[in-house]
Amino acid sequence: MKEIVVISGKGGTGKTSIVSSLAALGPKKVLADCDVDAADLHLVLHPQIKEKHDFISGEKATIDPELCIECGECREKCRFGAISDNFKVLPEHCEGCGVCAYVCPADAVKMSPSHCGYLYVSDTRFGPMVHASLGIGEENSGKLVTTVRKKAAELAREYGYELVLVDGSPGIGCPVIASLTNADLAVIVVEPTISAEHDMRRVHELTQHFNIQCLVILNKADINVSISERIKDYCHKAEIPVLGTLPYDIKFTRAQIEGKSVVEFDPHGLGKEIEKIWQKMMSF
Amino acid sequence: MRVAVASGKGGTGKTTVAVNLARYLIGEGKEVSFIDCDVEEPNAHFFLIQEFDEEFKEYVTVPEIDTQKCLGESCKKCVQECRFKSLIWMVSEVLVFPELCHSCELCKLVCPAQAVLDGQREIGTVRHARKDKLKFYSGLLRIGEAMAPPLIRKVKEYANPGDVQILDCPPGTSCPVIESLERADFVVLVTEPTPFGLNDLKLAVELTRKLNYPFGVVINRDGMGDDAVLRYLDAENIPVLARFPHVQEAAQAYSQGKLLVDAFPEFKGLYQGLWMEINKLTDGLGGAR
C-alpha cells in the first residue's frame, strides 16, 4: 500500500480541486482529508458518514471557584497566559501542561481530557473517505491528522486497496509535518506567483527534511508565464519531477459550485489533462 | 489600533488585502506597523519591502538535564509529569526531546534536585525592516519546527503599539490564528464567493465570535462564483466591509508582487472605502490614533 500526500505550502493553489479530481481516476483508493483546520474535500465528494468518533486528545484545566483561594500561584506560573484575572481558565490558551494543577496549594485545579473534535469514516462515489473536524480554536491538529491517516491506512488494508490519497494542510508547521511523516510520496501543487513559489521551496525543504520523494503539479500556469518557467527551472535543478501543468480556468470554480470534481465537470478538457497527471504520478 | 486580517482558508486574498490596506494608509500619511503573522509561509514582504534591515534567531526554553544532580531511576518525576512526552527515561538517564517540548517548565517545578536547567531550542528567525512610514515585522519558522505560536508571539512583541498595526494572519482556525488575533481591535475576514470560500468563512466567523472580536467581511474576487456568501452574510447580519472585483489583471499583478492600489486607481478608492467602514465599526479608533 502506498500513501500519497498532496500539499501546497500556500493555500488557494487548487490543492483540493486537484485531489478530488485524482480521486475520480484510477482504481479504488481510500481518501483522507488532512486539512482538518479548514476541510473542503467533503464539498466535492459529499461523503455519507458511516462512523463518527470523538477525538479526545490532551487535557484542559478547570478551576473550582469553591476551592480557589485566589493566591495567584497558577497565574504566575502559567507560561501561556491561560488564567484570567478572576481565576478562570481561558480554554483557547490552555495547553494542558498541568503546571497550574501542580502548583495550586488548594487542589482547586482539575485536569480533564479535552474533546478536540470528531473523526469521520464515510463512503463516497470514489471510495471510502476518512475526514475530521477540529473544534473551533482547538489545538492538537497534528494529532488529529495522524489519527486520520492511521484510520485511512487501516481501511486500505482492510479493503485490500493499494492507495491512500491524502489532501494535506497548508503551511509547514505541525499539521503538515503530521501529514507528511512516513508518507511514500508528496505532491506539491504550486501556482506561478512569487508567494506560492517561495512557499513551494519551503515545503520542498520540509519534504527533504523528512526524506520524502516529492513531485510537482503546476496549476494556473498561464497567470504568469515567466514565474511558471522559473518554477520549472527550480524543479529541474532540484530534480523534482513535474507531473504536469494546468491552466487558469473558471471551470475549476464552476465545478466547485456544482459540487463536482473537475474530471467529472469537464471530462474531455481539463479531465484529460488531469488523467495524464494521474498516469505519470502512478509511475513513481 | 490593531487590525487583524484573517480567513479560514488560504488563498482567498488575505495578504493582498493586508498589504494594500497598509499601502493605502501609508499614502494617507499614517505610521503603519505591518506584522506578518504567517511565520510558516510569510509572503507579505514581497509586496512591501525589498529587503530586511535586521534578522535574528529566536529561541524557546527547553529542559536540559544536569546529570550530576539528577536523582536518576529512583525519581523520574519529570518523566512522569510531562504531558507532552518530551522527557523519557532511557536505560540510565533522562532523555529530552526538545521538539516535543511546549516550554511549560513543569519539569523544572517538579524536580526535587534542581537538575532541570534552561536549555534552548531555535524556533526560527524574526526579521525587521523600515521604509519611510512603514515598520515591517515578520518571522520565518525553522523547517522542521512544528509549533508556530511562540514565534508569532515574538514577532508581535516588537511592534510599536502606537502605530496603526496591520496583522496578516495565517490560515485556519487553530492555535496560530488565535495567537495572531490576540489583542486585535478589529478583525477583517477575507473570503471569496465560492463553496470552499463560504465553508471556511463560516469557520472563521465562528472563531471570531467565540473569541469576541468585532469583525466584518471583505469579499475578494467578487463575481467569480455565486452569491451564497452574500446570502449567508445577510442572514447572519455580518457587515460587508468591501467587495473587490474579480479581474484577471489583478491576479497577474499579484503574481508579480505588485500592489493593487499602485497599479489600479479604482482599487485605491476601494481600500479607502474599506478603511472608512473599519473606522465606522470601531468608532473611529483608527482615526484618533
Side-chain angles (χ1 to χ4, degrees):
Chain A
M1 189 198 60
K2 207 167 169 177
E3 199 179 5
I4 302 180
V5 183
V6 183
I7 50 175
S8 68
K10 184 186 175 314
T13 56
K15 185 167 52 71
T16 301
S17 293
I18 287 175
V19 170
S20 58
S21 293
L22 295 174
L25 297 164
K28 279 268 166 88
K29 58 194 86 51
V30 176
L31 304 156
D33 191 349
C34 284
D35 189 354
V36 296
D37 232 24
D40 283 333
L41 194 58
H42 64 280
L43 297 171
V44 179
L45 299 187
H46 315 288
Q48 283 182 299
I49 295 169
K50 299 280 171 204
E51 294 171 33
K52 179 178 177 182
H53 303 277
D54 292 310
F55 174 63
I56 291 164
S57 179
E59 292 180 315
K60 289 244 186 264
T62 43
I63 297 172
D64 184 341
E66 298 286 313
L67 295 174
C68 177
I69 55 168
E70 305 196 350
C71 67
E73 266 297 294
C74 56
R75 196 162 60 214
E76 196 201 308
K77 294 287 189 314
C78 174
R79 292 281 163 270
F80 310 107
I83 317 276
S84 74
D85 289 340
N86 54 351
F87 301 99
K88 287 212 171 73
V89 177
L90 307 165
E92 62 274 9
H93 290 283
C94 177
E95 305 231 352
C97 67
V99 161
C100 50
Y102 183 77
V103 299
C104 180
D107 259 337
V109 184
K110 200 175 131 204
M111 301 300 296
S112 330
S114 169
H115 187 277
C116 306
Y118 296 98
L119 176 84
Y120 306 98
V121 179
S122 302
D123 276 344
T124 76
R125 59 194 186 280
F126 306 135
M129 171 171 169
V130 184
H131 48 130
S133 60
L134 192 67
I136 295 293
E138 288 297 341
E139 302 178 37
N140 286 316
S141 55
K143 280 187 193 156
L144 183 52
V145 166
T146 306
T147 314
V148 168
R149 282 183 57 200
K150 265 194 195 143
K151 186 77 198 169
E154 226 175 86
L155 281 184
R157 275 192 290 272
E158 198 178 299
Y159 289 108
Y161 292 167
E162 287 302 305
L163 182 68
V164 175
L165 184 62
V166 179
D167 191 359
S169 33
I172 59 155
C174 103
V176 192
I177 290 176
S179 304
L180 278 176
T181 33
N182 301 319
D184 298 286
L185 260 185
V187 177
I188 305 177
V189 178
V190 60
E191 59 177 20
T193 64
I194 50 165
S195 24
E197 181 189 16
H198 168 257
D199 298 345
M200 174 197 74
R201 291 175 187 221
R202 297 256 293 159
V203 88
H204 172 231
E205 261 184 74
L206 187 70
T207 58
Q208 285 180 312
H209 186 87
F210 289 106
N211 233 329
I212 294 164
Q213 154 130 51
C214 159
L215 308 168
V216 158
I217 296 172
L218 182 54
N219 194 19
K220 310 180 198 173
D222 49 348
I223 279 188
N224 190 316
V225 178
S226 65
I227 298 179
S228 285
E229 285 309 313
R230 215 160 66 200
I231 289 172
K232 284 185 201 161
D233 219 45
Y234 171 83
C235 291
H236 182 71
K237 285 188 184 125
E239 294 178 6
I240 311 169
V242 177
L243 292 175
T245 57
L246 294 165
Y248 176 82
D249 198 321
I250 195 74
K251 282 184 197 127
F252 277 94
T253 308
R254 296 231 179 91
Q256 206 186 97
I257 289 167
E258 290 200 10
K260 286 181 181 165
S261 72
V262 179
V263 168
E264 293 163 294
F265 186 80
D266 184 26
H268 305 295
L270 293 169
K272 281 269 171 291
E273 293 307 308
I274 295 172
E275 210 173 326
K276 278 186 219 156
I277 289 174
W278 166 265
Q279 301 287 358
K280 204 164 165 188
M281 189 173 92
M282 283 299 109
S283 67
F284 284 95
Chain B
M1 167 88 153
R2 288 174 185 234
V3 179
V5 184
S7 74
K9 176 177 157 19
T12 53
K14 213 174 340 88
T15 300
T16 308
V17 169
V19 295
N20 281 286
L21 182 59
R23 180 73 189 87
Y24 164 74
L25 291 171
I26 291 161
E28 295 297 296
K30 290 206 189 299
E31 299 271 348
V32 174
S33 283
F34 192 97
I35 307 163
D36 190 344
C37 294
D38 189 350
V39 299
E40 293 183 51
E41 306 290 10
N43 289 140
H45 58 281
F46 293 125
F47 299 88
L48 290 173
I49 54 168
Q50 269 71 52
E51 56 188 45
F52 291 98
D53 302 333
E54 46 178 346
E55 248 180 63
F56 38 90
K57 287 191 170 142
E58 291 287 355
Y59 301 85
V60 290
T61 307
V62 296
E64 206 177 279
I65 309 295
D66 182 339
T67 45
Q68 297 296 309
K69 284 187 180 167
C70 178
L71 302 178
E73 183 123 44
S74 64
C75 171
K76 294 194 287 189
K77 271 203 122 174
C78 57
V79 172
Q80 281 153 16
E81 294 290 337
C82 177
R83 303 288 206 279
F84 309 111
K85 300 192 179 79
S86 73
L87 299 155
I88 62 158
W89 179 256
M90 268 292 265
V91 195
S92 62
E93 60 176 1
V94 174
L95 206 71
V96 181
F97 287 99
E99 310 271 329
L100 299 177
C101 176
H102 286 223
S103 308
C104 70
E105 299 183 17
L106 182 61
C107 49
K108 212 167 144 180
L109 288 170
V110 301
C111 178
Q114 277 87 50
V116 181
L117 309 175
D118 289 342
Q120 285 188 322
R121 176 179 87 218
E122 188 202 323
I123 50 172
T125 314
V126 169
R127 311 178 292 181
H128 297 173
R130 239 201 127 102
K131 195 179 141 194
D132 307 322
K133 286 185 172 302
L134 171 74
K135 281 172 245 164
F136 189 94
Y137 308 86
S138 83
L140 195 63
L141 195 70
R142 180 178 59 81
I143 299 285
E145 168 64 33
M147 281 172 261
L151 188 60
I152 296 172
R153 208 171 305 140
K154 304 249 181 193
V155 173
K156 287 175 75 173
E157 272 167 15
Y158 290 100
N160 178 359
D163 300 339
V164 174
Q165 289 189 4
I166 308 282
L167 299 106
D168 188 6
C169 300
T173 55
S174 62
C175 359
V177 188
I178 291 173
E179 188 60 50
S180 308
L181 293 177
E182 181 73 16
R183 284 183 289 137
D185 294 305
F186 191 80
V187 180
V188 174
L189 298 179
V190 183
T191 189
E192 57 180 24
T194 63
F196 291 0
L198 175 60
N199 180 63
D200 302 328
L201 172 66
K202 286 179 182 167
L203 299 173
V205 165
E206 222 182 297
L207 177 75
T208 318
R209 279 185 174 155
K210 192 173 167 184
L211 299 174
N212 232 339
Y213 292 113
F215 71 100
V217 169
V218 165
I219 300 178
N220 196 24
R221 302 192 192 111
D222 198 18
M224 90 177 291
D226 53 11
D227 64 352
V229 166
L230 270 179
R231 280 187 275 122
Y232 162 76
L233 294 174
D234 191 45
E236 289 283 319
N237 244 323
I238 296 168
V240 178
L241 304 168
R243 295 167 71 167
F244 296 133
H246 172 58
V247 276
Q248 186 84 18
E249 291 78 16
Q252 272 152 3
Y254 167 85
S255 76
Q256 296 159 354
K258 282 190 189 150
L259 288 160
L260 303 179
V261 288
D262 291 340
F264 308 101
E266 66 270 29
F267 273 93
K268 194 182 163 194
L270 290 167
Y271 277 90
Q272 183 181 22
L274 168 60
W275 184 240
M276 279 167 61
E277 286 301 312
I278 293 171
N279 272 286
K280 254 195 253 166
L281 294 166
T282 52
D283 294 328
L285 200 57
R289 279 205 242 171

